[in-house]
Every structure is written in structure tokens, then in C-alpha cells.
Amino acid sequence: MAIAAAAVIVPLGLLFFISGLVVNLIQAVCFVTIRPLSKNTYRRINRWVAELLWLELVWIVDWWAGVKRSGCLGSTLAVMKKSSKFLPVIGWSMWFSEYLFLERNWAKDESTLKSGLQRLRDYPQPFWLALFVEGTRFTQAKLLAAQEYAASTGLPIPRNVLIPRTKGFVSAVSHMRSFVPAIYDVTVAIPKSSPAPTMIRLFKGQSSVMHVHLKRHLMKELPETDDAVAQWCRDTFVAKDALLDKHNAEDTFSDQELQEIPRPKKSLLVVISWASLVIFGVLKFLQWSSLLSSWKGIAFSAFGLGIVTVLMQILIRFSQSERSTPAKVVPSKPKNSKEPEQTTQDKQR
């Protein structure tokens, strides 16, 4: 980690981890005391508590790095790999917020996904569920593997996307069809003139341009049978691949004028409030403990800053797609379907 970046990351890390641990503590207390009495009341409270953490990340994007975007935070959920829940602060908050964690092994994940999706049936507020059908993040190495797999199984050979793994998607549609009205197919591309966004760039206050194409599909318009839903998903990825071909050639998804969306002030107010509380609390603690009045105290403080630096490095490394592990691909039957490998979709109630 460069010294200049560390000079920004360490203070932001201190703010994030101290405030995040407070949020986790509140979530844990609510989980133990309120959830056994009323799951819906717990969910409503947790939504607002979790926002106090996630809005800090929104602030980094919106205000610190100066990226203009539109967002939906609220009751946003996602299907994640199991190791994500062990991430300090962020992973713990995901667990309290009822994210779905999978091991990327269908024999183990089928029942986990089914029970997790069924729990959302009585969710007391509108929610988004992000489902990454591809099962892993995109890299060129994974694209080459996907192309080899497609060629060996008779699938359309992808040029810009991975092959969708449809079992989880089919299960989600099957169990959520009755209470989720629509699926949002999301395609993201980076213009040639813009550097790729990274956590390091965001912490340095450097923005990147990302083009996002959204297409809404009504759930009632999807096919009824599991096989047909799986094929619909694969066909959607073929269309997504063609859309990315267009973007690669023209640096845009369409000729429609882009709408500018003002940055929400809510995240700014949350970060200012957290920063004021954390600075006040730290100053009071240092005054009470006289921690910096001895070499032992200074060494202890330096050790604490070192831990924060290491934890931030872990979060940054976790965000890098090239460090992600590939999803296991089970050889499919020689039918033009079965086991895909890549996709990104959202669901809204």
C-alpha cells in the first residue's frame, strides 16, 4: 500500500471500523433481544442500523471520489460466497441483515438457498436481492476457461461475459415468483477513456466512469418450467454479450441521453455525524487514559493503527476480481444447456 494512499486509508479505516463495530454491536443486541420476539420488527430496525454503515461506503463513492450515481440502499440483500460473512464489520453486518451465503457447491447450497429465499416471503419492506448468476467475478483467465468450456459443450462461445450457472437462478425464480414482481438485468461497462474503478482509486478521491444498462423483466413474463427459465437465463446472457460488443465498438449502450442525478446528502450527514462522534470519543478516551503519555501507550496506539491498516488491506484485496476464486464447473451433459458459469441480476419487491 503506497504511503500517500495509506495516509488517507488509515483515518478512513479508523472511522469505518470504529463506527462499524458500534453498528455490529447494536445489530447483535437487536438480534438477541428483539428478533426472538418479532422478526419483522428486528428487520425494520436492522434496515436503518445497517444503513448507518453502508452509507459510509456510499459517501466514499458519492462525495469523496465524486462519482455521480443513483442507488437503492434500504433493504438491499445479496447472494454471496460463504467466506464473505467473516469479513470484519462488513461481513458481520451482512450476516445480521440476512444476506444469503453459499459455498458454491450445489449439493450443499440447494437447501440453504431455498430456505433463505423462503424467509424473504414475509419481509416487511420492499427489498432488492442481487444475484450474480455467474458465480464468480470476471477476469480474462476465467473468460478463456468459459470459452473452452462452451466450445466443448456446444454452448454459444462468449466474448465479453462468462457462462451463467443457472441452478441458483432457476431456484430463485421458482421460490420468489409469487412475491417478487420483476427482475432487473444489469450490464456494466467501463468506457475506453476511463480507468477501471478500484478501492484504492476511491480512497484517493479519484473517480471512474461506469456505464450501466438496466432492463426490467416482469416475473410473470418468464417461462413456467425450470428448463425454460434456465434457457431464458442463457439467452439473456447471449443478448448481454451482444450488448457489450456494441459498447466496445461505440463506447455507449444506446443513443439515449444520460440523466444526471444529484448526490444524496444523507450519506454526507451520516459520515459527518460519525466523524464527530468518533473524534469526540477518541479524544475523551485519550484524555481519560493518558495513552500517549508513555512509550507503552504510544506503542499500543501504533499497534492499533497497524491492525486497522491490515484490515483495510484485507478489504481492498477482497474487492479485487483477480484475487477471486473461480467457481467450480461441473461438466455438463451434451445438451445445449445444463451448467453455466456467469451473470448479474437484481430482484425487487
Side-chain angles (χ1 to χ4, degrees):
M1 188 185 301
I3 294 177
V8 174
I9 290 172
V10 172
L12 291 179
L14 275 173
L15 173 64
F16 179 73
F17 281 110
I18 292 175
S19 60
L21 289 172
V22 172
V23 167
N24 290 159
L25 178 61
I26 295 172
Q27 289 178 306
V29 171
C30 292
F31 185 84
V32 172
T33 60
I34 298 176
R35 195 176 190 279
L37 302 177
S38 173
K39 185 168 66 173
N40 281 347
T41 300
Y42 164 78
R43 284 169 162 173
R44 291 178 186 278
I45 294 173
N46 185 75
R47 171 188 176 177
W48 297 109
V49 174
E51 268 200 0
L52 295 176
L53 174 64
W54 293 109
L55 280 170
E56 293 183 60
L57 301 180
V58 173
W59 171 81
I60 289 176
V61 174
D62 281 348
W63 293 91
W64 185 257
V67 177
K68 295 180 180 179
R69 45 123 230 145
S70 84
C72 164
L73 202 55
S75 303
T76 302
L77 308 171
V79 179
M80 308 284 288
K81 64 180 180 180
K82 189 176 181 180
S83 60
S84 303
K85 69 180 179 182
F86 301 111
L87 285 172
V89 176
I90 290 180
W92 304 337
S93 183
M94 289 177 179
W95 187 85
F96 284 121
S97 299
E98 300 181 82
Y99 279 52
L100 281 63
F101 297 100
L102 304 181
E103 298 184 38
R104 299 201 297 199
N105 181 325
W106 186 245
K108 298 178 181 179
D109 292 336
E110 184 175 11
S111 60
T112 302
L113 185 61
K114 178 180 177 180
S115 60
L117 294 172
Q118 288 177 337
R119 283 199 305 269
L120 298 177
R121 181 180 295 275
D122 62 349
Y123 209 86
Q125 296 167 304
F127 67 87
W128 293 75
L129 175 68
L131 176 61
F132 302 92
V133 187
E134 54 270 58
T136 186
R137 285 172 283 183
F138 182 94
T139 65
Q140 285 300 319
K142 293 174 186 175
L143 176 60
L144 289 174
Q147 290 171 337
E148 292 176 4
Y149 175 77
S152 66
T153 54
L155 292 171
I157 297 177
R159 300 170 301 281
N160 309 288
V161 298
L162 302 180
I163 304 171
R165 301 175 64 86
T166 57
K167 285 182 178 177
F169 178 78
V170 170
S171 180
V173 171
S174 173
H175 292 100
M176 303 177 74
R177 188 188 289 270
S178 62
F179 60 94
V180 170
I183 294 174
Y184 286 83
D185 175 18
V186 183
T187 306
V188 180
I190 302 168
K192 297 183 182 73
S193 58
S194 175
T198 65
M199 288 298 292
I200 291 291
R201 283 184 56 81
L202 289 176
F203 282 129
K204 288 181 178 180
Q206 300 170 343
S207 62
S208 297
V209 177
M210 295 178 66
H211 292 169
V212 180
H213 182 275
L214 292 170
K215 187 172 183 179
R216 188 174 191 263
H217 302 274
L218 293 177
M219 188 70 83
K220 64 183 181 181
E221 295 176 353
L222 264 66
E224 293 294 330
T225 67
D226 289 353
D227 287 344
V229 170
Q231 186 59 48
W232 180 91
C233 181
R234 286 188 287 270
D235 292 342
T236 298
F237 262 75
V238 171
K240 187 190 295 286
D241 208 11
L243 184 64
L244 286 168
D245 279 339
K246 173 182 170 60
H247 189 279
N248 292 338
E250 303 175 11
D251 229 20
T252 183
F253 284 124
S254 71
D255 298 327
Q256 293 181 353
E257 185 177 349
L258 296 177
Q259 287 189 329
E260 298 234 343
I261 301 173
R263 294 176 293 188
K265 294 182 175 60
K266 188 176 182 180
S267 60
L268 180 63
L269 294 174
V270 166
V271 169
I272 290 174
S273 301
W274 272 125
S276 301
L277 288 171
V278 169
I279 291 172
F280 177 79
V282 168
L283 291 176
K284 282 295 183 181
F285 174 76
L286 292 175
Q287 185 180 20
W288 168 77
S289 65
S290 301
L291 191 63
L292 300 182
S293 62
S294 67
W295 285 109
K296 184 183 289 187
I298 293 174
F300 181 80
S301 301
F303 178 73
L305 291 176
I307 291 178
V308 170
T309 303
V310 170
L311 291 176
M312 290 299 291
Q313 184 70 5
I314 290 172
L315 295 180
I316 290 170
R317 288 169 67 90
F318 187 83
S319 71
Q320 295 171 337
S321 60
E322 63 271 16
R323 297 185 184 277
S324 63
T325 54
K328 297 175 183 176
V329 179
V330 180
S332 92
K333 296 172 183 172
K335 258 180 160 182
N336 189 22
S337 14
K338 292 324 179 219
E339 265 308 55
E341 193 184 75
Q342 286 193 327
T343 223
T344 304
Q345 312 248 345
D346 290 328
K347 297 187 177 57
Q348 182 188 42
R349 181 181 173 190

